[in-house]
Amino acid sequence: MIQVIATIELKPGCREDFLPLLNDNVPRVKAEDGCLAYDPCVDIDSGLLSQGKISNDVVTLVEAWSSLEALQAHLKAPHMAEYREKVKDMVTNVTIQVLKPI
């Protein structure tokens, strides 16, 4: 199993338009072979001193995949290409961390 933290940075003020497009794609991703978790999240102010900067222009995906091959197939899935096309004008940057539990 691998885990992925995907950070999606949005143009200011785009989050409310972006979230429905992301959420429409979530069931298709969760139906993929090897998808164990695919959970969109947004920042909340926890009041914890160690919490980083709160941003209304960031969406974080917390993912788990059965293998690196399953993640690679996910990135090539037709519904992901459609999703990326729909959101391309709202997204400024995407970074991912691919993690292996120890």
Side-chain angles (χ1 to χ4, degrees):
M1 177 181 75
I2 61 168
Q3 295 174 319
V4 176
I5 305 298
T7 303
I8 304 167
E9 297 174 39
L10 303 170
K11 291 180 182 175
C14 286
R15 189 170 88 176
E16 295 311 310
D17 292 329
F18 173 82
L19 288 177
L21 297 171
L22 173 62
N23 286 326
D24 284 348
N25 198 43
V26 168
R28 289 184 281 275
V29 174
K30 287 186 172 184
E32 291 179 42
D33 288 339
C35 181
L36 305 175
Y38 193 81
D39 301 310
C41 304
V42 294
D43 290 350
I44 63 166
D45 187 354
S46 66
L48 298 172
L49 295 178
S50 59
Q51 184 172 5
K53 178 184 168 215
I54 304 297
S55 177
N56 289 327
D57 299 318
V58 171
V59 175
T60 302
L61 284 162
V62 180
E63 308 174 31
W65 296 90
S66 61
S67 66
L68 185 55
E69 294 78 17
L71 172 61
Q72 291 167 335
H74 158 68
L75 296 172
K76 296 175 187 173
H79 60 267
M80 290 306 297
E82 292 173 19
Y83 157 78
R84 283 190 289 272
E85 181 64 25
K86 290 177 184 177
V87 302
K88 70 180 181 182
D89 293 332
M90 295 181 234
V91 175
T92 61
N93 192 44
V94 177
T95 57
I96 65 169
Q97 291 178 271
V98 180
L99 309 163
K100 177 179 77 168
I102 55 172

